Amino acid sequence: MSREATNGVPCGARVLTLDTMNPNVRRVEYAVRGPIVQRAVQIEKELREGVKKPFTEVIKANIGDAHAMGQRPITFFRQVLALCSYPELLEDNKFPEDAKKRARRILDACGGHSLGAYSASQGIECIRQDVARYIERRDGGISSNPDNIYLSTGASDAIVTILKMLVCGEGRDRTGVMISIPQYPLYSAALADLGAVQISYYLEEESCWSLNVTELRRALNEAKQHCKPRVLCIINPGNPTGQVQSRQCIEDVIRFAKEEHLFLMADEVYQDNVYADGCKFHSFKKVLFEMGPEFSSKVEMASFHSTSKCYMGECGFRGGYMEVINMDPQVKAQLTKLVSVRLCPPVPGQALLDLVVNPPQPDEPSYSTFMKERKAVLADLAEKARLTEEIFNTVPGITCNPVQGAMYTFPRIALPQKAIDKAKEQGLVPDMFYCMRLLEEEGICLVPGSGFGQKEGTFHFRMTILPPTEKLKVVLQKIRDFHLKFTQEFS
């Protein structure tokens, strides 16, 4: 007879099993690093071990990791970070004086003059002041209070923290969070983890992935039957869809949020990545305040930015910030308490963020190199955005909207019925089957559209435009050839 421990676990059995673990964690899915990427890593290992494949390398176009794709770091940023990491270099005359000045200022704000010391939980004060000044410049002088700035471990950490603050209730009173479909799977994963209710609203693919308030209202009204909608999340410029919202659209969204008493979350990490003619980035905060006190004094909002995207691409440093607007002071005290549990965001990431929001000025020695490098990265991305749309739209069965901004394209693929049937036989979603075949045959790693959400009966994939131009041309040509071959095979 098996003895049982007092807590109900059979003697000798594991305490933590799939059956006893947190069920919310089991529900979490994150397609950007899902089964396709795991298989890509295996294939890379096989190639190193000499296994013959129809290709010599795996090209990972699945994730917006600029430096992994060969983008060069901005010289000034790395100079200052080197000086901060190894202060003895401050005596080296190879470094420009403005880089040394920035490094000294950052080190003076660190405990023991070292990046290795903890900082205040909300982030180093002088860096929060610089972030506030950056926001004021960006938004044409609209005031920003450093006390409303929270530095974070990339934008992701801040997004999850705010969601954690907002989720409450049981059953039909559970918090509902509106997220766009297609969406960046951080949102669906965080909502599953927190046990919140996902309210999906669909972007209009036919009009370049635009956002329509009529669709927001439909999604909200349907959701009211089974949860309490409290939050509206917007990604602008869009991931995975690459659209840039018009000012009119942002105004409409703000009016909707006020009418429906929703907390707004504005994910603006791609704010420098705008390529299409006639498109311009408008921050939600700027539009909110320009709509007047009826909105600016009432709508509660958090906006997010990061060092991982734009022209910087410094993903590994995990630098970011959020600004909270109209947050109840008592709730803000609870937010500060919550972030203090993790002690502080990485201090090197905070230092990098400071350089992003306080770059070299025209009268400083590093300015011309900095501007040249920044412009080159953004011009290169704009050219790759144009090239991607152009080439995909020459392929029968692939339809690609203009890549107006961000770093991705989300083309629609027409799949033959036989391919859909074959995928079902193998227990796979059709675009997962397509992407897995592409990986095995061409060595190209993409993420199926099903990982981001899509309208029933449509199929897509997400691809980053980050590979170097010549490699991107190879990738696009390989996808073109594969699609034609795949379509022929299953026709």
Side-chain angles (χ1 to χ4, degrees):
M1 192 177 82
S2 71
R3 286 188 306 115
E4 283 208 348
T6 53
N7 62 0
V9 178
C11 227
R14 293 184 190 274
V15 173
L16 184 62
T17 67
L18 278 176
D19 290 330
T20 62
M21 71 176 284
N22 181 343
N24 289 342
V25 175
R26 278 214 313 276
R27 283 193 283 272
V28 168
E29 290 182 11
Y30 188 67
V32 174
R33 294 198 174 182
I36 295 256
V37 184
Q38 288 156 20
R39 177 63 189 137
V41 171
Q42 282 177 344
I43 291 174
E44 283 182 318
K45 190 175 175 217
E46 289 168 18
L47 285 169
R48 284 195 300 273
E49 289 166 355
V51 177
K52 291 285 173 246
K53 303 271 179 192
F55 47 86
T56 55
E57 67 167 336
V58 173
I59 300 172
K60 289 180 181 164
N62 62 297
I63 195 163
D65 190 347
H67 292 196
M69 284 283 153
Q71 183 179 307
R72 303 286 301 159
I74 299 292
T75 303
F76 180 76
F77 293 171
R78 288 301 181 88
Q79 284 176 331
V80 179
L81 289 167
L83 291 161
C84 288
S85 299
Y86 191 60
E88 282 81 350
L89 292 174
L90 287 162
E91 308 308 317
D92 191 323
N93 58 15
K94 290 192 191 78
F95 290 85
E97 197 49 50
D98 53 345
K100 291 181 178 180
K101 187 179 167 189
R102 290 290 199 295
R104 287 190 191 101
R105 180 170 178 264
I106 291 166
L107 288 171
D108 284 349
C110 293
H113 301 279
S114 171
L115 286 190
Y118 289 130
S119 77
S121 299
Q122 205 169 329
I124 293 169
E125 188 176 351
C126 73
I127 298 178
R128 288 190 290 112
Q129 288 167 353
D130 287 349
V131 170
R133 280 194 287 267
Y134 161 83
I135 292 169
E136 286 175 0
R137 286 195 306 275
R138 182 197 69 187
D139 292 344
I142 291 162
S143 169
S144 177
N145 183 346
D147 286 345
N148 291 333
I149 307 291
Y150 288 77
L151 307 190
S152 57
T153 309
S156 306
D157 179 51
I159 288 165
V160 173
T161 299
I162 286 291
L163 286 171
K164 199 177 279 186
M165 298 287 295
L166 282 155
V167 173
C168 66
E170 297 295 334
R172 288 182 62 171
D173 287 334
R174 197 80 183 133
T175 293
V177 179
M178 302 186 74
I179 65 172
S180 60
I181 298 295
Q183 55 103 23
Y184 176 50
L186 163 69
Y187 289 89
S188 54
L191 297 181
D193 184 22
L194 295 168
V197 178
Q198 177 179 318
I199 305 171
S200 302
Y201 64 88
Y202 289 89
L203 301 175
E204 290 184 357
E205 184 170 11
E206 297 69 29
S207 53
C208 206
W209 299 112
S210 64
L211 193 163
N212 189 315
V213 171
T214 308
E215 168 60 12
L216 287 180
R217 191 153 274 118
R218 176 207 64 78
L220 183 92
N221 289 336
E222 282 182 18
K224 281 177 178 174
Q225 312 306 310
H226 58 268
C227 70
K228 191 169 277 185
R230 302 178 74 208
V231 192
L232 171 57
C233 299
I234 310 283
I235 308 174
N236 178 51
N239 174 9
T241 41
Q243 85 285 4
V244 178
Q245 287 178 4
S246 68
R247 187 198 160 87
Q248 184 58 56
C249 171
I250 293 169
E251 281 192 24
D252 292 345
V253 168
I254 289 170
R255 280 196 187 89
F256 176 79
K258 180 176 178 284
E259 281 167 25
E260 298 295 343
H261 213 56
L262 299 171
F263 189 103
L264 255 182
M265 291 177 63
D267 181 338
E268 298 174 330
V269 303
Y270 297 98
Q271 57 190 261
D272 288 326
N273 298 108
V274 177
Y275 318 120
D277 289 341
C279 286
K280 186 184 174 191
F281 171 73
H282 301 276
S283 82
F284 265 79
K285 183 189 177 187
K286 183 173 194 279
V287 176
L288 175 69
F289 276 78
E290 287 177 350
M291 287 171 74
E294 179 195 348
F295 295 91
S296 62
S297 65
K298 290 188 171 64
V299 175
E300 295 158 76
M301 186 175 85
S303 61
F304 308 90
H305 194 18
S306 161
T307 61
S308 301
K309 310 299 176 185
C310 300
Y311 63 94
M312 303 82 73
E314 292 279 15
C315 302
F317 279 95
R318 311 307 299 128
Y321 75 77
M322 68 174 159
E323 181 181 28
V324 295
I325 307 287
N326 293 325
M327 183 173 271
D328 180 301
Q330 290 178 306
V331 173
K332 197 153 154 279
Q334 295 296 316
L335 172 61
T336 305
K337 177 186 76 176
L338 184 60
V339 299
S340 72
V341 173
R342 294 191 193 174
L343 294 173
C344 68
V347 175
Q350 294 186 50
L352 174 65
L353 177 67
D354 190 57
L355 306 174
V356 171
V357 298
N358 183 21
Q361 297 305 300
D363 60 346
E364 293 182 309
S366 300
Y367 180 76
S368 59
T369 303
F370 169 77
M371 289 305 292
K372 186 180 166 190
E373 290 176 345
R374 182 185 188 278
K375 283 176 182 168
V377 170
L378 293 173
D380 197 32
L381 284 167
E383 170 58 19
K384 290 190 280 193
R386 185 197 61 75
L387 189 72
T388 301
E389 178 201 348
E390 192 179 279
I391 292 176
F392 275 149
N393 282 326
T394 65
V395 187
I398 298 184
T399 316
C400 182
N401 269 316
V403 183
Q404 296 176 329
M407 298 176 169
Y408 315 97
T409 181
F410 198 69
R412 186 163 171 172
I413 47 176
L415 299 181
Q417 189 57 46
K418 282 184 185 171
I420 294 169
D421 296 341
K422 185 74 174 172
K424 283 178 183 162
E425 261 177 52
Q426 296 186 12
L428 294 172
V429 181
D431 48 19
M432 171 66 91
F433 173 67
Y434 177 95
C435 288
M436 199 60 93
R437 281 282 299 266
L438 175 67
L439 175 62
E440 297 287 353
E441 293 174 27
E442 301 290 349
I444 293 169
C445 180
L446 305 177
V447 191
S450 47
F452 299 88
Q454 55 198 349
K455 279 188 177 165
E456 191 70 35
T458 70
F459 306 108
H460 302 79
F461 59 76
R462 187 188 83 160
M463 185 187 95
T464 177
I465 61 169
L466 286 170
T469 306
E470 290 313 307
K471 189 171 275 193
L472 181 64
K473 286 177 182 171
V474 170
V475 169
L476 294 168
Q477 189 59 46
K478 281 187 164 199
I479 294 171
R480 184 183 195 282
D481 295 346
F482 169 81
H483 186 83
L484 296 173
K485 190 173 67 177
F486 182 91
T487 304
Q488 195 172 9
E489 180 186 340
F490 288 101
S491 290

